[in-house]
Amino acid sequence: MKIKQVLSITGFMMAFSCYGQAPDSIRTFFMTEVVVCSEKLQSDTLQSFYQSNASATTETVLSRMSGVSLVRRGAYGQEPVLRGLSGGQINVTIDGMKIFGACTDKMDPVTIYVEPMNLSVIQALPGSQGGQFGSTIGGSLNMKLAEPIVGSPGIRGQAGIDYQTSAGAVNAFSSANIARNTSAYRVNATFRKSNNYHAGGGEEVAYSQFQKLNVGASGKWALGKYDTLQADAIFDQGWNIGFPALPMDVGTATAGIYSVSYKNSTPWWFFRDIRAKVYQNSIAHSMDDTQRENVPMHMDMPGKSTTTGGYLEGNVGIFREQQTTVKAEYYSNTLIGEMTMFPAEGPPMYMQTAPQTTRQNVGLYTQQQIKFSPKNKMQLSARADAFFDRMHDGIGRQQWEVFDNGLAKSTTSILKTVNASFTHFISGSLQLDVQGGYGERIPTLNERYGFYLFNRLDGYDYIGKPGLKNEASWNMETTLSYFGRNTEFRLTPFYKTIDNYIMGRVVPDLTTMTIGARGVKQNENLAWAKMTGVDMLVMFSPSKNIQLVSNNKYTYGTNSLNEAMPQIPPFKSVSSVRLQLAKFNAQAEYEWAAAQNHVSSSFGEMKTASYYILNFRSGWKMNSLFQVNGGVENILDRNYREHLDWGGIPRPGRNFYVNITGKF
């Protein structure tokens, strides 16, 4: 039998071994919440699985979560996918704050502007469960910021540095908490520098380099026994960022994220635990091709996205022990994407690929928890959103009037999201959750107003359609959870339908703008799309010092054209065995993905072969202050790619890394 088949069977055996681990505080957060860097809020076993090494990026943590995948166009700026849906189909927020990337080519997903050092928890809420963070059909990813810790006066923190061989990469990070009796301050910083990485077999992947700096600072002040005020600021800048799967790179990508929060835990009228936040963030992103060779015509493509907003939420004590949560929020986002072309002869030419447009949103959300008995409870939630879109006067609007002389100056949309879940405790160790709901999402500003956006995957220029209908989705899922003496297990099959599914369709009569483009597509509403799949996560501890974790995810999607939905990952399994001793730990990992033959040829997708890789990680606590970690990823130096990797660009080959971390 081939080694690949043996390892695949081993992974499945690990996934279905159900002789359990003693339950602890993590068990109700298995699928939806991952602790990133907070101390002892989650078991060391799961934390070491999700955060595979001390310098893991936010993207690495996300990729190992249940139901989450990544679209990869380079080593930097990987776009999160939640159960096959991405972009405007899901909400990606930082501490509940709305943030929108400035790149028309999706080179700057929100997740690149935060580091694990900034965060405490990442929440993944698929489908209509994600309505707390906005109207949605695909769900929400919310990255909760770490807070300063008020307490006995003193300074506590950590710092570390590591080196990785595949890209000659250096990563350094640090954080410190300065505590006072009635106040606290937290600062953190992360620096990353990576050269071109080498794929399996030693081939160098050109234009895969990047550098970035992230700095965060926050302060918390106790205004009284039950009142606190907190201010947070994050500055993140990346530069010299290569994208091997795209025709352009990024000179700089800069984000400034600022917020002020207020919390009150005293009863007021019938309100409890009031939380308020105001925020502002600005993203500036600059694409250019000046480092590329043999470019027919150089061009610069800067973009800017600015968002201002706030929310007020709290618990309402109306129904005695039944908890009610209400939330009201508002945001305004202004987006512009520009392009200047420099022909060999003649003056520069200017256009707006994303005409300057402002979107305003007012949303109301409520959630009701109902406890029928110790074994049965229900949760109901509902959300309503009003959206107001306005295209500014100027060049961008004049461009669009070529296609639509009667283009409305503003549009208004009303969206609805509802969800219901029921939990039944079958026994002390067995739990059944059933939930379903309905959600809607408004087309993104680029889907409505994008002007000749080139898609490298299928080779077409894309233009938006102002009259696109909202996508609407019905979803349902069932989760069976088992908490045994040595095992924790969750199995979640799910099903989703999407009406008015948005996809680009060829318009033969339009002429391309991009040199070498195959044609022009315009965003259209298809009748429907359907998705089904399953997530499974297992923890198994055969002894005190040995833990096994297996995370498995699968999604299948088709649309009304009887073809595959694009960008749907195949079945993937990541399993690890961890040995934990007093001062030493070792972890072996096996990652396997099935072949993906169900592809969207009209979207330019290629079939992807199955692959497997092996990783090994270890750590040694030198003393109470210092720890050394090291390991090797892709031990067999496989040359492989995942299905969501654009352009057939292979992933990194064998990579040795070493890390040293100190606490103070």
Coordinates of all heavy atoms in Angstrom, one line a residue, residues 65-137:
M65 N -8.8 26.7 11.2 CA -10.1 26.7 11.9 C -11.2 26.0 11.1 O -11.1 25.8 9.9 CB -10.6 28.2 12.1 CG -9.8 29.0 13.1 SD -10.4 30.7 13.2 CE -12.1 30.5 13.8
S66 N -12.2 25.4 11.8 CA -13.2 24.6 11.1 C -14.0 25.5 10.1 O -14.4 26.6 10.5 CB -14.2 24.1 12.2 OG -13.5 23.2 13.0
G67 N -14.1 25.0 8.9 CA -14.9 25.7 7.9 C -14.2 26.8 7.2 O -14.8 27.4 6.3
V68 N -13.0 27.2 7.6 CA -12.3 28.3 7.0 C -11.2 27.9 6.0 O -10.4 27.0 6.4 CB -11.7 29.2 8.1 CG1 -11.0 30.5 7.5 CG2 -12.8 29.7 9.1
S69 N -11.1 28.5 4.9 CA -10.0 28.3 3.9 C -9.5 29.7 3.5 O -10.0 30.7 3.9 CB -10.6 27.5 2.7 OG -11.2 26.3 3.1
L70 N -8.5 29.7 2.6 CA -7.9 30.9 2.2 C -7.6 30.9 0.7 O -7.2 29.9 0.1 CB -6.5 31.1 2.9 CG -6.5 31.3 4.4 CD1 -5.1 31.3 4.9 CD2 -7.3 32.6 4.8
V71 N -8.0 32.0 0.0 CA -7.6 32.2 -1.4 C -6.2 32.8 -1.4 O -6.0 33.9 -0.8 CB -8.6 33.2 -2.1 CG1 -8.1 33.5 -3.5 CG2 -10.0 32.5 -2.2
R72 N -5.3 32.2 -2.0 CA -3.9 32.6 -2.0 C -3.4 33.1 -3.4 O -3.5 32.3 -4.3 CB -3.0 31.4 -1.5 CG -1.5 31.7 -1.4 CD -0.8 30.4 -1.0 NE 0.6 30.6 -1.0 CZ 1.4 30.7 0.1 NH1 0.8 30.7 1.3 NH2 2.7 30.8 0.1
R73 N -3.0 34.3 -3.4 CA -2.5 34.9 -4.6 C -1.0 35.2 -4.5 O -0.3 35.6 -5.4 CB -3.2 36.2 -5.0 CG -4.7 36.0 -5.1 CD -5.5 37.3 -5.3 NE -6.9 37.1 -5.5 CZ -7.8 37.1 -4.6 NH1 -7.4 37.3 -3.3 NH2 -9.1 36.9 -4.8
G74 N -0.5 35.0 -3.3 CA 0.9 35.1 -2.9 C 1.1 34.7 -1.5 O 0.2 34.2 -0.8
A75 N 2.3 35.0 -1.0 CA 2.6 34.6 0.4 C 1.9 35.6 1.4 O 1.9 35.3 2.6 CB 4.1 34.5 0.7
Y76 N 1.4 36.7 0.9 CA 0.8 37.7 1.7 C -0.6 38.1 1.2 O -0.9 37.9 0.0 CB 1.7 39.0 1.6 CG 1.4 40.1 2.5 CD1 1.9 40.2 3.8 CD2 0.6 41.2 2.1 CE1 1.6 41.3 4.6 CE2 0.3 42.3 2.9 CZ 0.8 42.3 4.2 OH 0.6 43.4 5.0
G77 N -1.4 38.5 2.0 CA -2.8 39.0 1.6 C -3.7 37.9 1.2 O -4.4 38.0 0.2
Q78 N -3.7 36.8 2.0 CA -4.6 35.7 1.6 C -6.0 36.0 2.1 O -6.3 36.4 3.2 CB -4.1 34.4 2.2 CG -2.7 34.1 1.7 CD -2.0 32.9 2.5 OE1 -2.6 31.9 2.7 NE2 -0.8 33.2 2.9
E79 N -7.0 35.7 1.2 CA -8.4 36.1 1.5 C -9.2 35.0 2.2 O -9.2 33.9 1.7 CB -9.1 36.4 0.1 CG -10.5 36.9 0.3 CD -11.2 37.1 -1.1 OE1 -10.5 36.9 -2.1 OE2 -12.3 37.5 -1.1
P80 N -9.8 35.3 3.3 CA -10.5 34.2 4.0 C -11.8 33.8 3.3 O -12.5 34.6 2.7 CB -10.9 34.8 5.4 CG -10.9 36.3 5.1 CD -9.8 36.5 4.1
V81 N -12.1 32.5 3.4 CA -13.3 31.9 2.8 C -14.0 31.1 3.9 O -13.3 30.3 4.6 CB -12.9 30.9 1.6 CG1 -14.1 30.3 1.0 CG2 -12.2 31.7 0.5
L82 N -15.2 31.3 4.1 CA -16.0 30.6 5.2 C -17.0 29.7 4.5 O -18.0 30.2 3.9 CB -16.7 31.6 6.1 CG -17.4 31.1 7.3 CD1 -16.5 30.2 8.2 CD2 -18.0 32.3 8.1
R83 N -16.7 28.4 4.6 CA -17.6 27.4 3.9 C -17.9 27.7 2.5 O -19.0 27.7 2.0 CB -18.9 27.2 4.7 CG -18.7 26.5 6.1 CD -20.0 26.3 6.8 NE -19.9 25.6 8.0 CZ -20.9 25.4 8.9 NH1 -22.1 25.9 8.6 NH2 -20.7 24.7 10.0
G84 N -16.8 28.1 1.7 CA -17.0 28.3 0.3 C -17.4 29.7 -0.1 O -17.5 30.0 -1.3
L85 N -17.7 30.6 0.8 CA -18.1 31.9 0.5 C -17.1 32.9 1.0 O -16.5 32.8 2.0 CB -19.5 32.2 1.1 CG -20.6 31.3 0.7 CD1 -21.9 31.6 1.4 CD2 -20.8 31.4 -0.8
S86 N -17.0 34.1 0.3 CA -15.9 35.0 0.6 C -16.4 36.4 0.1 O -17.5 36.6 -0.4 CB -14.6 34.6 -0.1 OG -14.8 34.6 -1.5
G87 N -15.4 37.4 0.2 CA -15.7 38.7 -0.2 C -16.9 39.3 0.5 O -17.1 39.3 1.7
G88 N -17.8 39.9 -0.3 CA -19.0 40.6 0.3 C -20.0 39.6 0.8 O -21.0 40.0 1.4
Q89 N -19.8 38.3 0.6 CA -20.8 37.3 1.1 C -20.6 37.0 2.6 O -21.4 36.4 3.2 CB -20.6 36.0 0.3 CG -20.9 36.1 -1.2 CD -20.5 34.9 -2.0 OE1 -19.5 34.3 -1.8 NE2 -21.3 34.6 -3.0
I90 N -19.5 37.4 3.1 CA -19.2 37.3 4.6 C -18.8 38.6 5.2 O -18.3 39.5 4.5 CB -18.1 36.2 4.9 CG1 -16.8 36.6 4.3 CG2 -18.6 34.8 4.3 CD1 -15.6 35.7 4.6
N91 N -19.0 38.7 6.5 CA -18.5 39.9 7.2 C -17.2 39.6 7.8 O -17.0 38.5 8.4 CB -19.5 40.3 8.3 CG -20.9 40.7 7.8 OD1 -21.0 41.5 6.9 ND2 -21.9 40.2 8.4
V92 N -16.2 40.5 7.7 CA -14.9 40.3 8.4 C -14.8 41.6 9.2 O -14.6 42.7 8.6 CB -13.8 40.1 7.4 CG1 -12.5 39.9 8.2 CG2 -14.0 38.9 6.5
T93 N -14.8 41.5 10.5 CA -14.7 42.7 11.4 C -13.6 42.5 12.4 O -13.2 41.4 12.7 CB -16.1 42.9 12.1 OG1 -16.4 41.7 12.8 CG2 -17.2 43.2 11.1
I94 N -13.2 43.7 12.9 CA -12.2 43.7 14.0 C -12.9 44.3 15.2 O -13.2 45.5 15.2 CB -11.0 44.6 13.6 CG1 -10.3 44.0 12.4 CG2 -10.0 44.7 14.7 CD1 -9.1 44.8 11.8
D95 N -13.1 43.5 16.2 CA -13.8 43.9 17.4 C -15.2 44.5 17.1 O -15.6 45.5 17.7 CB -12.9 44.9 18.2 CG -12.9 44.6 19.7 OD1 -13.1 43.4 20.1 OD2 -12.7 45.5 20.5
G96 N -15.8 44.0 16.1 CA -17.1 44.5 15.7 C -17.1 45.7 14.7 O -18.1 46.1 14.3
M97 N -15.9 46.2 14.5 CA -15.8 47.4 13.6 C -15.7 47.0 12.1 O -15.0 46.0 11.7 CB -14.5 48.1 13.9 CG -14.4 48.6 15.4 SD -12.8 49.6 15.7 CE -11.6 48.2 15.7
K98 N -16.5 47.7 11.3 CA -16.5 47.4 9.9 C -15.3 48.0 9.3 O -14.9 49.2 9.5 CB -17.8 48.0 9.3 CG -19.1 47.4 9.7 CD -19.2 46.0 9.3 CE -20.7 45.5 9.4 NZ -21.3 45.7 10.7
I99 N -14.6 47.2 8.5 CA -13.4 47.7 7.8 C -13.5 47.1 6.3 O -13.8 45.9 6.2 CB -12.1 47.2 8.5 CG1 -12.1 47.8 9.9 CG2 -10.9 47.7 7.7 CD1 -10.8 47.4 10.7
F100 N -13.1 47.9 5.3 CA -13.2 47.4 4.0 C -11.9 47.7 3.3 O -11.3 48.8 3.3 CB -14.3 48.1 3.2 CG -15.7 47.9 3.8 CD1 -16.2 48.8 4.8 CD2 -16.4 46.8 3.5 CE1 -17.4 48.6 5.4 CE2 -17.7 46.6 4.0 CZ -18.2 47.5 5.0
G101 N -11.3 46.6 2.6 CA -10.1 46.8 1.9 C -10.2 47.8 0.8 O -11.3 48.1 0.3
A102 N -9.0 48.4 0.4 CA -9.0 49.4 -0.6 C -8.6 48.9 -2.0 O -8.5 49.7 -2.9 CB -8.0 50.5 -0.2
C103 N -8.3 47.6 -2.1 CA -7.8 47.1 -3.4 C -8.9 46.5 -4.2 O -9.6 45.6 -3.7 CB -6.7 46.0 -3.1 SG -6.1 45.2 -4.6
T104 N -9.0 46.9 -5.5 CA -10.0 46.3 -6.3 C -9.7 44.9 -6.8 O -10.6 44.2 -7.2 CB -10.2 47.2 -7.6 OG1 -8.9 47.4 -8.2 CG2 -10.7 48.6 -7.2
D105 N -8.5 44.5 -6.6 CA -8.1 43.1 -6.9 C -8.1 42.2 -5.7 O -7.5 41.1 -5.7 CB -6.7 43.1 -7.6 CG -6.8 43.6 -9.0 OD1 -8.0 43.7 -9.5 OD2 -5.8 43.8 -9.6
K106 N -8.6 42.6 -4.6 CA -8.7 41.8 -3.3 C -7.3 41.4 -2.8 O -7.2 40.3 -2.2 CB -9.6 40.6 -3.5 CG -11.0 40.9 -3.9 CD -11.9 39.6 -4.0 CE -13.3 40.0 -4.4 NZ -14.1 38.7 -4.5
M107 N -6.3 42.3 -3.0 CA -5.0 42.0 -2.4 C -4.9 42.4 -1.0 O -3.8 42.1 -0.4 CB -3.9 42.7 -3.3 CG -3.9 42.3 -4.7 SD -3.1 43.5 -5.8 CE -1.5 42.8 -6.0
D108 N -5.9 43.0 -0.4 CA -5.8 43.5 1.0 C -7.0 43.1 1.8 O -7.7 44.0 2.2 CB -5.5 45.0 1.1 CG -6.6 45.9 0.6 OD1 -7.4 45.4 -0.2 OD2 -6.8 47.0 1.2
P109 N -7.3 41.8 2.0 CA -8.4 41.5 2.9 C -8.1 42.1 4.3 O -7.0 42.3 4.7 CB -8.3 40.0 2.9 CG -7.0 39.6 2.5 CD -6.5 40.7 1.5
V110 N -9.2 42.3 5.0 CA -9.1 42.9 6.3 C -8.1 42.2 7.3 O -7.4 42.8 8.1 CB -10.5 43.0 7.0 CG1 -10.4 43.5 8.4 CG2 -11.4 43.9 6.1
T111 N -8.0 40.9 7.1 CA -7.2 40.1 8.0 C -5.8 40.4 8.0 O -5.0 40.0 8.9 CB -7.5 38.6 7.7 OG1 -7.3 38.4 6.3 CG2 -8.9 38.1 8.1
I112 N -5.3 41.0 6.9 CA -3.8 41.3 6.8 C -3.4 42.5 7.7 O -2.2 42.7 8.0 CB -3.3 41.5 5.4 CG1 -3.8 42.9 4.9 CG2 -3.7 40.4 4.5 CD1 -3.1 43.3 3.6
Y113 N -4.4 43.3 8.2 CA -4.1 44.5 8.9 C -4.1 44.2 10.4 O -3.9 45.2 11.2 CB -5.1 45.6 8.6 CG -4.9 46.0 7.1 CD1 -5.9 45.9 6.2 CD2 -3.7 46.6 6.7 CE1 -5.8 46.3 4.9 CE2 -3.6 47.0 5.3 CZ -4.6 46.8 4.5 OH -4.5 47.2 3.1
V114 N -4.2 43.0 10.9 CA -4.0 42.7 12.3 C -3.1 41.5 12.4 O -3.0 40.6 11.5 CB -5.4 42.4 13.0 CG1 -6.2 43.6 13.1 CG2 -6.2 41.3 12.2
E115 N -2.5 41.4 13.6 CA -1.6 40.3 13.9 C -2.1 39.6 15.1 O -2.8 40.2 15.9 CB -0.1 40.8 14.2 CG 0.6 41.3 12.9 CD 1.1 40.2 12.1 OE1 1.3 39.1 12.7 OE2 1.3 40.4 10.9
P116 N -1.7 38.3 15.3 CA -2.1 37.6 16.6 C -1.7 38.4 17.8 O -2.5 38.3 18.8 CB -1.3 36.3 16.5 CG -1.2 36.0 15.0 CD -1.0 37.4 14.4
M117 N -0.7 39.2 17.8 CA -0.3 40.0 19.0 C -1.4 41.0 19.3 O -1.5 41.5 20.5 CB 1.0 40.7 18.8 CG 2.2 39.9 18.9 SD 2.6 39.4 20.6 CE 2.1 37.7 20.6
N118 N -2.2 41.4 18.3 CA -3.3 42.4 18.6 C -4.5 41.7 19.2 O -5.4 42.4 19.7 CB -3.8 43.0 17.2 CG -2.7 43.7 16.5 OD1 -2.5 43.5 15.3 ND2 -1.9 44.5 17.2
L119 N -4.6 40.4 19.1 CA -5.9 39.7 19.2 C -6.0 38.8 20.5 O -5.0 38.4 21.0 CB -6.2 38.8 18.0 CG -6.2 39.5 16.6 CD1 -6.4 38.5 15.5 CD2 -7.2 40.6 16.6
S120 N -7.2 38.6 20.9 CA -7.5 37.6 22.0 C -8.3 36.4 21.4 O -8.0 35.2 21.8 CB -8.2 38.2 23.1 OG -9.5 38.7 22.7
V121 N -9.3 36.7 20.6 CA -10.2 35.6 20.1 C -10.6 35.9 18.7 O -10.7 37.0 18.3 CB -11.5 35.5 21.0 CG1 -12.5 34.6 20.4 CG2 -11.1 35.1 22.4
I122 N -10.7 34.8 17.9 CA -11.3 34.9 16.6 C -12.6 34.1 16.6 O -12.6 32.9 16.9 CB -10.3 34.3 15.5 CG1 -9.0 35.2 15.4 CG2 -11.0 34.4 14.1 CD1 -8.0 34.7 14.4
Q123 N -13.6 34.7 16.2 CA -15.0 34.1 16.1 C -15.3 33.8 14.7 O -15.2 34.7 13.8 CB -16.0 35.0 16.8 CG -15.8 35.3 18.2 CD -16.7 36.4 18.7 OE1 -16.6 37.6 18.3 NE2 -17.7 36.1 19.5
A124 N -15.8 32.6 14.4 CA -16.3 32.2 13.1 C -17.7 31.8 13.3 O -18.0 30.7 13.9 CB -15.4 31.1 12.5
L125 N -18.6 32.5 12.7 CA -20.1 32.3 12.8 C -20.6 32.1 11.4 O -20.9 33.1 10.7 CB -20.8 33.4 13.5 CG -20.2 33.8 14.9 CD1 -20.8 35.1 15.5 CD2 -20.6 32.6 15.9
P126 N -20.8 30.9 11.0 CA -21.3 30.6 9.6 C -22.7 31.0 9.4 O -23.5 30.9 10.3 CB -21.0 29.2 9.4 CG -21.0 28.6 10.7 CD -20.5 29.6 11.7
G127 N -23.1 31.3 8.1 CA -24.5 31.5 7.8 C -25.1 32.6 8.5 O -24.5 33.6 8.9
S128 N -26.4 32.5 8.8 CA -27.2 33.6 9.4 C -26.9 33.7 10.9 O -27.3 34.7 11.5 CB -28.7 33.3 9.3 OG -29.0 32.0 9.7
Q129 N -26.0 32.8 11.4 CA -25.6 33.0 12.8 C -24.7 34.2 12.9 O -24.6 34.8 14.0 CB -24.7 31.8 13.2 CG -25.4 30.4 13.2 CD -24.4 29.3 13.4 OE1 -23.8 29.2 14.5 NE2 -24.2 28.5 12.4
G130 N -24.1 34.7 11.8 CA -23.3 35.9 11.9 C -23.9 37.2 11.8 O -23.3 38.2 11.6
G131 N -25.3 37.2 12.0 CA -26.0 38.5 11.9 C -25.7 39.5 12.9 O -26.0 40.7 12.7
Q132 N -25.1 39.1 14.0 CA -24.7 40.1 15.0 C -23.7 41.1 14.4 O -23.7 42.3 14.9 CB -24.0 39.4 16.2 CG -23.5 40.3 17.3 CD -22.8 39.6 18.4 OE1 -22.8 38.3 18.4 NE2 -22.2 40.3 19.4
F133 N -22.9 40.8 13.4 CA -21.9 41.7 12.9 C -22.3 42.2 11.5 O -21.4 42.8 10.8 CB -20.6 40.9 12.8 CG -20.1 40.4 14.1 CD1 -20.2 39.1 14.5 CD2 -19.6 41.3 15.1 CE1 -19.8 38.7 15.8 CE2 -19.1 40.9 16.3 CZ -19.3 39.6 16.7
G134 N -23.5 42.1 11.1 CA -24.0 42.6 9.8 C -24.8 41.7 9.0 O -24.8 40.5 9.3
S135 N -25.6 42.2 8.1 CA -26.4 41.4 7.2 C -25.4 40.5 6.4 O -24.4 40.9 5.9 CB -27.2 42.2 6.3 OG -26.4 43.1 5.5
T136 N -25.8 39.2 6.2 CA -24.9 38.3 5.6 C -25.6 37.0 5.1 O -26.7 36.7 5.6 CB -23.8 37.8 6.6 OG1 -22.9 36.9 6.0 CG2 -24.4 37.2 7.9
I137 N -25.0 36.4 4.1 CA -25.5 35.0 3.7 C -24.5 34.0 4.1 O -24.8 32.8 4.2 CB -25.8 35.0 2.2 CG1 -24.5 35.2 1.4 CG2 -26.9 36.0 1.8 CD1 -24.7 34.8 -0.1

